[in-house]
Amino acid sequence: MAKSSRLGLMRNRDFGRLFAATALGQSGDRIIFLALPLVAIAELCADEFQVGLLTAMTSAGSLLVGLPAGAWVDRMRKRSVLISTDLARALLLSTVPVAWWAGVLTIWWLCAVALVHGVLTVFFDVAYVSYLPHLVGRGNLVEGNSKLSAVRSVTSISGPTVAGPLVGLVGAPATLLVSSAGMAMSGLLAITIRKREEKPEPSERPQLAREIKEGLKFVVKYPALRAIMLGDAVFNLFLVMYQTMLLVFLEREIGLQSFGLGLIFSGMGCGALLGALLATRVSKRVGHGPVIWLASLVSCPLTALMPLARAGWSVYVAAIGLAALSLGGVVRVVAQSSFQQALTPDRLLGRMSATARFVSWGGIPLGGLLGGASGSVFGAAGTLWIGAVGMTLSFLPNFLSPLRTMRTLPTEKAPEFAC
């Protein structure tokens, strides 16, 4: 009985396959996180603004298709969306090493790949969030989100650990082939999930604008959902500013090589893994609402250690702040994802996820551009300071909402209302 209790959802064959597919897909994604900017920095000698532009293109898909993606996904089987987007992303990433070997790779090619990859990722993420309640049931959402966050955290450790030496051995462009293979295997494994959703019933008069408006009004109507979106929007804007100059700072000002970069990002993965392992326990102890704002308030100020670092041991001390950021981020995301999924009616899950993503991720392209521009004016270290302060302030929307005192998840779905 104790063993079964520890295994929990892992006894569910279909959840186990989703778990494995997540591990493969996220391994590829973590390698992209390190390898794609390094292609621009090391192979194409991109300047700070071009690195910022590449970062902006990576997330511009949220602005381009963020809202309609939810309405479209709500009309489709989520499993099919997961499979098709994984396979399409795998094919897309393989074009980078091919172009590099052919001698035609440019920063504009990278930006185009980043943009299309980001659009596909929007559809994947919306379907992923919407699929979990169907697969495990609403009573298992916290456990399901925690276990999936744990495997994502493990890949955050292993991905950079593998990517760093691999970039040094075969170069950043060729390393992207590993990312492509991981996503392809993730899509193929998802095909083996047996539990099928019923095809959503089409509305008599499907109207995209009306469906988007319905999802937007649902999220905006409820103060807790609204606060989660706004807090994420502030956090993501400044996080991307920070991340845009982090690689530039570590490689050009600190002088870290690919192996050292891999260690730094693996340390962030260790923090994320610890956060995933602690998320359920911390949420129960602190409360599902308070943990959302406390996680940011406690962990984000530690990112200010990085711009203080110099070449040598101090940079690895500063990396503890990045690990703490990842720990707090996972605890926060598990709590707020479970809250959003528990409150939202099934037929609105896709639109809720897409609307929240559109608002909270909408500033990410701007963050990339601001990070590049700020790096050109204030330098990489100055931009890290700005990012650290902004991320810390992201706790305010959640603190000033009902989440400040809501200790348990909603037990009933929120009522729907006419548009």
Side-chain angles (χ1 to χ4, degrees), residues 97-363:
V98 171
W100 179 65
W101 288 325
V104 297
L105 184 63
T106 66
I107 187 66
W108 308 114
W109 188 301
L110 280 185
C111 286
V113 168
L115 176 61
V116 178
H117 182 275
V119 169
L120 292 170
T121 299
V122 170
F123 283 92
F124 178 89
D125 287 348
V126 169
Y128 192 87
V129 171
S130 307
Y131 186 53
L132 186 63
H134 165 78
L135 193 65
V136 304
R138 292 176 179 270
N140 296 311
L141 284 175
V142 174
E143 181 188 351
N145 282 315
S146 295
K147 282 183 163 59
L148 293 174
S149 292
V151 73
R152 288 194 293 267
S153 302
V154 170
T155 58
S156 294
I157 301 170
S158 60
T161 302
V162 171
L166 198 57
V167 168
L169 182 64
V170 301
T175 301
L176 288 173
L177 284 178
V178 179
S179 299
S180 176
M183 289 189 171
M185 289 188 289
S186 173
L188 294 174
L189 187 58
I191 293 174
T192 67
I193 296 176
R194 294 180 179 178
K195 188 173 183 180
R196 307 292 177 90
E197 310 156 85
E198 293 184 6
K199 189 173 183 179
E201 294 183 5
S203 59
E204 294 181 2
R205 298 176 60 189
Q207 296 179 4
L208 183 61
R210 181 183 61 79
E211 293 173 1
I212 291 173
K213 181 181 178 183
E214 188 177 13
L216 184 61
K217 287 186 68 174
F218 175 79
V219 176
V220 171
K221 178 180 175 66
Y222 294 98
L225 295 179
R226 189 167 64 240
I228 288 172
M229 280 197 311
L230 293 176
D232 267 359
V234 175
F235 176 83
N236 288 330
L237 173 69
F238 288 99
L239 173 65
V240 173
M241 287 187 66
Y242 190 98
Q243 288 178 331
T244 299
M245 286 298 106
L246 180 59
L247 274 176
V248 175
F249 177 79
L250 290 173
E251 185 182 62
R252 294 181 178 171
E253 297 191 22
I254 300 297
L256 279 186
Q257 301 301 310
S258 57
F259 181 75
L261 293 173
L263 287 179
I264 296 290
F265 288 104
S266 292
M268 294 179 68
C270 289
L273 175 60
L274 183 59
L277 296 175
L278 294 175
T280 301
R281 186 180 305 173
V282 172
S283 293
K284 290 181 179 178
R285 180 69 62 87
V286 177
H288 290 280
V291 78
I292 293 174
W293 60 267
L294 277 171
S296 296
L297 182 60
V298 172
S299 62
C300 290
L302 296 176
T303 58
L305 292 172
M306 185 55 72
L308 294 172
R310 298 294 179 265
W313 60 268
S314 65
V315 72
Y316 294 103
V317 173
I320 295 173
L322 300 184
L325 177 70
S326 295
L327 188 157
V330 170
V331 170
R332 174 177 60 84
V333 167
V334 168
Q336 67 187 31
S337 296
S338 302
F339 190 98
Q340 290 168 318
Q341 290 163 337
L343 190 63
T344 306
D346 288 344
R347 74 178 197 89
L348 291 174
L349 277 168
R351 276 166 282 176
M352 177 280 296
S353 175
T355 301
R357 183 188 175 101
F358 178 81
V359 175
S360 63
W361 285 50

Side-chain angles (χ1 to χ4, degrees), residues 361-375:
W361 285 50
I364 290 181
L366 178 61
L369 293 175
L370 287 176
S374 175

Side-chain angles (χ1 to χ4, degrees), residues 39-103:
V39 174
I41 295 170
E43 303 294 338
L44 301 179
C45 299
D47 60 30
E48 285 83 355
F49 183 77
Q50 288 174 327
V51 175
L53 180 63
L54 178 61
T55 302
M57 291 298 101
T58 301
S59 51
S62 295
L63 288 178
L64 293 177
V65 298
L67 288 177
W72 287 327
V73 168
D74 276 338
R75 298 175 185 176
M76 298 180 279
R77 290 189 173 97
K78 313 305 184 288
R79 172 179 165 276
S80 299
V81 178
L82 298 179
I83 294 167
S84 59
T85 50
D86 257 343
L87 297 179
R89 289 187 297 174
L91 180 62
L92 177 70
L93 289 171
S94 67
T95 68
V96 175
V98 171
W100 179 65
W101 288 325

